[in-house]
Structures are given as C-alpha cells and as structure tokens.
Amino acid sequence: MPIKILTTRPETMAERLVLPLQAAGYQVNNVPLLAIEPLTLQAQQKQWLMDLDLFQRVVVISPSAADVLLELLEDFWPQWPVGVNWYTVGQGTKLRLAQAGIEAICPEQG
C-alpha cells in the first residue's frame, strides 16, 4: 500500500512539492489552505517601507514574503540601505533575497 501524504500548499505553489513526492511513488493530495494575495498597504505600512534605513533588522519568513517585499521595496529603494541586517528562516528565502542583491543570515538547519 503506497504511503499517503496530505499537503496544504497554496494552489500556485503545490507542484513544487507534490510532483517530486509523486515521482517518488507517494500518493499525494493537496488541500490549499492558504492563498497568496496582493497586499494593500496602509499609510503607516508605506512609511515603514520608506523608513527601512532606520531599522536594524528585517526578518523575512518565506520565499513568497520575500517576493512581495522586494516588489514593494522597488518603489521606495533604488538601492538597498546600508546598515540593515537581513535574516531568513530558510535557504529558499535567503536565495530569493540574494538574487535581489541582499545578503541575509539564515540558520544552517531548519
């Protein structure tokens, strides 16, 4: 009897996890419990983005969050501010930031 796996990735991101598991012989069902949707910024949130150089640390928690943040920051920062330390919780997020020219600190293991 094949091992059954239930994943909960957003629909647009499920294949990246589901297909390799299926290729390895697992029976995989995805129930998308989250959806990635555009964020409408409030005035205070826009101000925080404009004041990014006043923050000492920024923690980015997922590749999706990195994508959204980078897209928003493009409107305010033509180059990244100096003196901000960037952190991620995983290697995928660190890679997304690195592709944008941001060096982040990430734990060796999850």
Side-chain angles (χ1 to χ4, degrees):
M1 175 187 243
I3 295 176
K4 296 178 182 180
I5 298 175
L6 176 65
T7 63
T8 60
R9 305 279 303 184
E11 194 67 44
T12 58
M13 301 173 67
E15 280 188 357
R16 191 174 72 182
L17 178 62
V18 170
L19 293 179
L21 289 170
Q22 288 174 334
Y26 299 105
Q27 181 181 335
V28 183
N29 293 302
N30 188 65
V31 177
L33 297 180
L34 297 173
I36 308 296
E37 297 181 0
L39 178 66
T40 302
L41 293 179
Q42 304 300 316
Q44 181 61 60
Q45 294 167 318
K46 288 181 183 177
Q47 190 63 51
W48 291 333
L49 294 176
M50 290 188 289
D51 292 341
L52 184 62
D53 59 331
L54 301 177
F55 289 85
Q56 286 110 11
R57 293 172 180 84
V58 175
V59 179
V60 185
I61 61 168
S62 72
S64 296
D67 290 340
V68 171
L69 178 64
L70 292 169
E71 184 177 328
L72 290 170
L73 289 176
E74 285 178 356
D75 293 337
F76 302 106
W77 290 95
Q79 65 184 42
W80 304 124
V82 176
V84 177
N85 296 302
W86 294 79
Y87 299 87
T88 69
V89 296
Q91 292 294 328
T93 308
K94 180 179 179 176
L95 177 61
R96 293 283 174 87
L97 293 178
Q99 291 168 341
I102 296 173
E103 185 177 332
I105 297 169
C106 176
E108 294 281 327
Q109 298 180 16

